[in-house]
Amino acid sequence: MQNYLDGLNAQQLAAVQHIDGPIMIVAGAGSGKTKVLTTRIAHLMKNGVDPFNILALTFTNKAAAEMKERVEKALGNTEARNLYIGTFHSVFARILRAEATRLGYPSNFTIYDTDDAKGIIRSIVKDMNLDDKHYKPAFIYNRISAAKNGLVDAATYRNDTHIQQEDARSNRPLLADIYDTYSKRCFKNGAMDFDDLLFKMYVLLTNYPEALAKYQGRFRYILIDEYQDTNVAQYAIIKMLGARNENICVVGDDAQSIYSFRGATVQNILQFQDDYEDAVIIKLEQNYRSTQTILQVANNVIGNNANQIPKELWTDNAEGEKILLARTMTDNDEGKFVADAIKEQQMRNHYANKDFAVLYRTNAQSRAFEESLRRLNIPYKLVGGTSFYQRKEVKDYLAYLRIIVNPQDEENLKRIINYPARGIGKTTIERVIVRADQLNTTFWETIANPEIDGLRSSHTDGFVMMINSFRTMLEKQNAYDVAFAVGKHTGLVQELYNDKTVEGVARYENVQELLNSIKEFTETPDEEGELHDKSLGSYLQQITLLTDADQDKGVDADAVKLMTIHAAKGLEFPCVFAVGLEENLFPSSMSLYDRADLEEERRLFYVAITRAKHRLWITYSNSRYRFGSLVQNDPSRFIKEVPPAYLDTTFTGTGNRPAGNTSSFGSMFNQSFDNIPSLKKLADKLAAPKPAAHTPSPDFVQDDATAMDAGMQVEHQKFGFGKILTVEGGTANRIASIDFGPAHGVKKIMLNFAKLRIVKS
DNA sequence: GAGCGATTAATTTTT
DNA sequence: TTAATCGCTC
């Protein structure tokens, strides 16, 4: 085996070989950060540190998995399995599970995701007879989340004059009450939300010195990835855990801090030296990823931000291609431009599908790219977005599993007590809640305890018996066996199976997929030296902390990746498209009036740029659909921050140029595609109308679809002038055949969706 | 209590 | 445009 220290530059080597004492590694984009971290862990172990004493914290499960894999590789053995590597949330969840009883929680506590939490807040707001348009659940959730991440509990929140003034100013004086009720409700339900996993960990270490001592003794070497994204709670926890030995190694890049909306504070990285006076600071400034051009552009862009640790990234790599800037007319054109460009690059430079990434600001932007990629038969993979675990049918199923493990959990209990329908309606549920409150007990106790009378019925008794029968399975049977029984005996699977609509079939498949994943869980050997706990409780504990990005099914597949820039952090691709560079979108309209917010958007742009190894495209569109109506945006201010010398502006033509049809390769593909009639039909269905050389009249206004009829002359935004031949279909779904002349021929247009102007009726 | 149609609200980013 | 909630009817 090659020496694991080979191939490190001087700074990297210094960082790796530093063993004891605090160290901060300021690692610019593409400077080999993960390599340093993993090599450092290997080095610690080679120097006699017990892997059992090493804790490495990351932000994503993916990063944790990668780190573990690379350490194993560097070591060439399986010693790494005793390492404690994981996300903040999953590591703390595991510790809290072991220590739960100290804090009064069941060890099988439920973890609420954001939707669960918002649901509870919504019901509290309702109970308090407040207007949920003013007391918006999402807003309140963020407020509570921010409080917890700042280590402010409900009581402190109420007594903090500054916070109270703020809430009074926004006319939401009852937020403190809501926070208080919310916390109590979660506690009563035996549940923690994401922020509790940090907050309660802090409480545990603060209030229970023996717990603190135990984990300080265990974690003698602590490594933190993406330190710039830590919040106050994480900071405090790390500080406490590391206080005994101060063997803390943090790695981060202030220029890539993009999570302040979630409470992260760059302050943590900026003040590391103040916290640890003898801290060693090492800067990694050589970039191994990108071309000179890409790096210069990135440096220039980030230079517009005021607050940062001074550093200058440089590279030995080739100068590379210019950055390609492209302007299109619509969002669909943008999608098409990108798909065409990918096809063209594949032909010219033999890139594989997986060499491309399309990075956007918001998930909602993915659609146009999906359509155009599908149209050109380019495989793609959507990373992130609505999580599998957020789908209704999956949540329903999981709700059953959760209350079996933790029947205290009222929210999940209410969710499925009458699904599938079993005659326990709103009225019954209301009564039970009232009764439970009177008796100061839980919902479950109220229906399950035979001593409590007057509310139970054959319906509730049947339900309780069923749940209890599952509960008896918990000890002896693994997660899959229980889950399977649930699907069978609740009628859940049958219910979905009976639904033969397209959506119904998809739901059924999703539930099958869920069962498969549970099965996979029970059959995968445990890592990290943990006991072989294949129980349902163990499964549920980790499932909430997983996101789609972590499922990594097909992540390695040869497909173009579509994702938000946030999701792309830490990744790299030979070819990157940074799309939607428009004011109000990127930078987001939410961030335009605050300097700090704007700088965060700029860092986000910096992250997008620095994902690229060889080639980078920046695209923007004149107009795009939002809420189904067309909006116009100016080009993003960030575009002006790219020095013109590095830009290829061939595709930004002014005015009328049909921006979508930009490459000869692109149109060639369309033609060959169109020659296959069956495929063309499919493509027409899937894709938006192709852009063509028609420029809409300056006074183009979309006319009311119901006014259209046969014989009229109309103008289409893309196809130009035409004559309506026939109109078929009912009022809701009228389809017109319109002759657009030799250039486009006869098109069938759905009047509901088409943008048509009546020229002559 | 269940099912259907109508109204409305939402789009920033995620563990 | 879509998803989710509301309210009405059976």
Side-chain angles (χ1 to χ4, degrees):
Chain A
M1 194 195 84
Q2 208 184 352
N3 189 321
Y4 65 100
L5 293 177
D6 287 352
L8 295 173
N9 67 32
Q11 289 76 30
Q12 290 173 333
L13 193 63
V16 166
Q17 291 184 319
H18 173 95
I19 292 184
D20 288 303
I23 172 172
M24 175 163 85
I25 303 166
V26 181
S31 63
K33 175 196 71 168
T34 310
K35 185 178 182 182
V36 166
L37 262 179
T38 54
T39 314
R40 186 165 184 276
I41 293 174
H43 186 72
L44 287 174
M45 289 165 64
K46 293 265 181 190
N47 282 273
V49 176
D50 187 338
F52 194 75
N53 292 134
I54 298 175
L55 170 69
L57 294 172
T58 66
F59 275 83
T60 64
N61 296 294
K62 199 164 51 181
E66 188 189 351
M67 199 181 288
K68 181 166 274 192
E69 192 186 317
R70 285 172 70 166
V71 173
E72 270 169 22
K73 220 176 199 171
L75 287 167
N77 60 38
T78 54
E79 250 186 295
R81 68 164 36 182
N82 286 328
L83 288 166
Y84 226 110
I85 300 183
T87 64
F88 281 92
H89 289 83
S90 69
V91 167
F92 295 170
R94 203 192 302 165
I95 293 175
L96 285 169
R97 197 177 177 190
E99 309 287 341
T101 45
R102 283 190 212 262
L103 299 171
Y105 284 85
S107 66
N108 270 331
F109 65 83
T110 305
I111 298 175
Y112 283 154
D113 66 19
T114 311
D115 289 336
D116 300 326
K118 282 181 193 162
I120 293 172
I121 291 168
R122 185 172 291 112
S123 84
I124 292 172
V125 168
K126 219 175 206 172
D127 288 348
M128 291 171 72
N129 281 323
L130 298 170
D131 178 9
D132 71 351
K133 296 205 177 67
H134 184 55
Y135 281 95
K136 284 193 192 132
F139 177 88
I140 300 169
Y141 174 78
N142 285 332
R143 194 96 180 124
I144 294 176
S145 173
K148 284 185 190 170
N149 286 326
L151 298 176
V152 173
D153 64 15
T156 315
Y157 189 98
R158 189 189 298 282
N159 295 326
D160 186 303
T161 45
H162 180 69
I163 293 175
Q164 286 311 310
Q165 276 169 7
E166 238 175 58
D167 285 347
R169 216 176 304 134
S170 80
N171 199 21
R172 292 186 185 85
L174 296 175
L175 276 175
D177 289 338
I178 300 174
Y179 184 9
D180 190 40
T181 310
Y182 173 76
S183 303
K184 287 181 176 143
R185 188 109 149 233
C186 288
F187 183 73
K188 187 178 154 202
N189 287 353
M192 295 195 197
D193 65 18
F194 285 147
D195 305 311
D196 282 331
L197 294 176
L198 307 180
F199 189 55
K200 301 296 179 190
M201 180 72 188
Y202 171 79
V203 171
L204 175 77
L205 298 180
T206 311
N207 294 353
Y208 299 90
E210 63 278 23
L212 177 62
K214 177 173 160 189
Y215 292 103
Q216 279 181 337
R218 160 131 203 209
F219 302 128
R220 295 199 204 137
Y221 291 84
I222 301 174
L223 299 93
I224 316 285
D225 192 14
E226 310 279 12
Y227 192 64
Q228 77 281 356
D229 287 330
T230 51
N231 59 36
V232 170
Q234 287 160 330
Y235 169 86
I237 294 166
I238 296 161
K239 188 134 202 210
M240 277 193 281
L241 279 179
R244 187 188 291 179
N245 303 302
E246 294 207 337
N247 289 328
I248 294 185
C249 168
V250 303
V251 183
D253 179 5
D254 55 307
Q256 294 184 65
S257 160
I258 55 175
Y259 280 106
S260 80
F261 69 93
R262 220 167 67 195
T265 160
V266 202
Q267 214 45 42
N268 289 348
I269 198 167
L270 297 178
Q271 63 170 229
F272 188 82
Q273 283 181 88
D274 302 333
D275 289 337
Y276 304 95
E277 279 174 10
D278 53 341
V280 172
I281 312 286
I282 289 176
K283 287 186 194 173
L284 306 181
E285 294 176 300
Q286 181 174 2
N287 173 297
Y288 294 94
R289 180 185 293 155
S290 309
T291 63
Q292 301 264 3
T293 304
I294 290 169
L295 209 55
Q296 285 308 322
V297 168
N299 280 339
N300 254 291
V301 166
I302 202 66
N304 290 290
N305 273 4
N307 278 327
Q308 34 181 337
I309 299 175
K311 60 184 159 321
E312 189 72 25
L313 270 184
W314 60 277
T315 184
D316 267 344
N317 292 345
E319 184 183 347
E321 305 290 323
K322 282 188 176 180
I323 313 301
L324 214 138
L325 182 67
R327 185 184 81 137
T328 62
M329 293 304 285
T330 69
D331 45 0
N332 285 328
D333 293 342
E334 189 183 36
K336 196 165 153 1
F337 173 86
V338 168
D340 284 347
I342 288 174
K343 208 71 177 170
E344 180 178 352
Q345 282 299 320
Q346 291 184 331
M347 295 297 288
R348 284 198 185 168
N349 299 317
H350 307 289
Y351 284 111
N353 294 318
K354 64 170 186 227
D355 293 335
F356 297 90
V358 181
L359 307 183
Y360 35 76
R361 179 70 236 276
T362 68
N363 277 307
Q365 287 166 256
S366 68
R367 200 147 109 199
F369 303 101
E370 292 182 66
E371 283 176 359
S372 48
L373 288 169
R374 208 157 26 188
R375 190 182 164 90
L376 293 192
N377 278 327
I378 301 171
Y380 66 86
K381 167 96 170 87
L382 207 62
V383 181
T386 329
S387 161
F388 176 74
Y389 297 104
Q390 280 170 5
R391 290 167 204 272
K392 186 183 173 301
E393 62 275 16
V394 175
K395 287 209 89 166
D396 288 337
Y397 209 122
L398 288 175
Y400 269 103
L401 305 184
R402 291 201 161 116
I403 59 157
I404 290 165
V405 167
N406 172 21
Q408 268 177 263
D409 181 357
E410 186 178 318
E411 309 307 319
N412 278 310
L413 187 56
K414 281 191 292 195
R415 186 184 179 102
I416 48 78
I417 193 166
N418 200 34
Y419 177 77
R422 52 174 71 87
I424 307 176
K426 239 185 196 157
T427 337
T428 314
I429 294 174
E430 286 299 317
R431 281 198 205 125
V432 174
I433 291 175
V434 171
R435 195 64 196 275
D437 273 354
Q438 285 168 355
L439 299 173
N440 198 22
T441 184
T442 61
F443 190 107
W444 170 253
E445 273 302 308
T446 309
I447 55 169
N449 189 341
E451 311 273 297
I452 298 174
D453 61 310
L455 287 163
R456 290 177 301 110
S457 64
S458 57
H459 296 305
T460 55
D461 281 351
F463 176 75
V464 168
M465 259 171 62
M466 183 176 72
I467 299 299
N468 275 334
S469 76
F470 296 138
R471 283 176 61 75
T472 57
M473 295 177 71
L474 280 180
E475 274 186 36
K476 296 264 165 68
Q477 320 251 39
N478 69 25
Y480 179 75
D481 295 331
V482 183
F484 186 82
V486 167
K488 198 168 162 192
H489 297 299
T490 56
L492 209 52
V493 170
Q494 187 67 40
E495 171 108 356
L496 293 167
Y497 183 74
N498 289 341
D499 185 349
K500 293 297 181 195
T501 62
V502 180
E503 304 86 42
V505 172
R507 281 196 287 269
Y508 179 74
E509 284 170 353
N510 283 334
V511 165
Q512 291 303 326
E513 181 68 31
L514 175 68
L515 280 170
N516 288 342
S517 88
I518 299 176
K519 182 152 200 162
E520 202 180 319
F521 166 79
T522 56
E523 287 170 358
T524 310
D526 261 316
E527 290 182 345
E528 298 164 37
E530 288 293 297
L531 295 173
H532 286 270
D533 182 359
K534 296 304 183 187
S535 70
L536 189 58
S538 165
Y539 171 76
L540 290 176
Q541 199 79 36
Q542 52 174 280
I543 205 70
T544 318
L545 299 172
L546 283 184
T547 63
D548 255 13
D550 303 316
Q551 276 193 309
D552 74 5
K553 273 203 183 117
V555 162
D556 301 324
D558 183 27
V560 174
K561 304 295 185 306
L562 310 182
M563 65 185 102
T564 64
I565 300 167
H566 282 88
K569 196 175 70 162
L571 306 177
E572 60 178 31
F573 303 90
C575 302
V576 166
F577 294 84
V579 302
L581 263 284
E582 294 145 37
E583 288 289 297
N584 297 317
L585 181 63
F586 194 11
S588 151
S589 54
M590 312 288 287
S591 65
L592 294 181
Y593 305 103
D594 185 295
R595 182 173 176 99
D597 288 347
L598 201 55
E599 292 208 345
E600 176 144 322
E601 295 283 311
R602 188 176 282 112
R603 291 194 293 269
L604 199 52
F605 184 43
Y606 176 80
V607 168
I609 294 170
T610 52
R611 297 311 94 196
K613 292 166 84 168
H614 309 149
R615 287 164 199 271
L616 174 67
W617 287 256
I618 295 172
T619 69
Y620 62 102
S621 176
N622 278 3
S623 60
R624 68 175 61 241
Y625 278 93
R626 214 173 183 185
F627 305 115
S629 64
L630 206 59
V631 293
Q632 315 255 347
N633 287 320
D634 290 331
S636 170
R637 68 192 69 191
F638 296 150
I639 292 176
K640 296 187 198 77
E641 297 174 6
V642 177
Y646 298 115
L647 275 183
D648 175 345
T649 55
T650 313
F651 297 122
T652 55
T654 48
N656 307 331
R657 167 199 283 266
N661 216 3
T662 41
S663 86
S664 52
F665 280 88
S667 52
M668 184 186 94
F669 284 106
N670 289 331
Q671 273 166 22
S672 60
F673 199 63
D674 288 352
N675 285 339
I676 308 165
S678 62
L679 281 182
K680 181 181 186 317
K681 217 172 176 181
L682 182 67
D684 281 347
K685 250 191 196 163
L686 294 172
K690 277 178 296 177
H694 176 71
T695 310
S697 312
D699 58 341
F700 187 96
V701 183
Q702 182 176 345
D703 278 313
D704 185 13
T706 53
M708 313 271 173
D709 218 328
M712 289 180 171
Q713 292 201 0
V714 294
E715 182 189 0
H716 187 278
Q717 262 194 328
K718 300 211 178 94
F719 301 134
F721 296 96
K723 185 178 174 184
I724 303 184
L725 301 176
T726 58
V727 178
E728 2 173 308
T731 38
N733 197 23
R734 298 168 80 220
I735 297 169
S737 296
I738 305 176
D739 185 355
F740 286 106
H744 297 283
V746 178
K747 300 263 178 199
K748 291 213 170 190
I749 305 263
M750 297 177 72
L751 290 177
N752 282 351
F753 301 111
K755 292 168 278 287
L756 289 170
R757 179 176 76 96
I758 298 175
V759 178
K760 195 174 142 202
S761 48

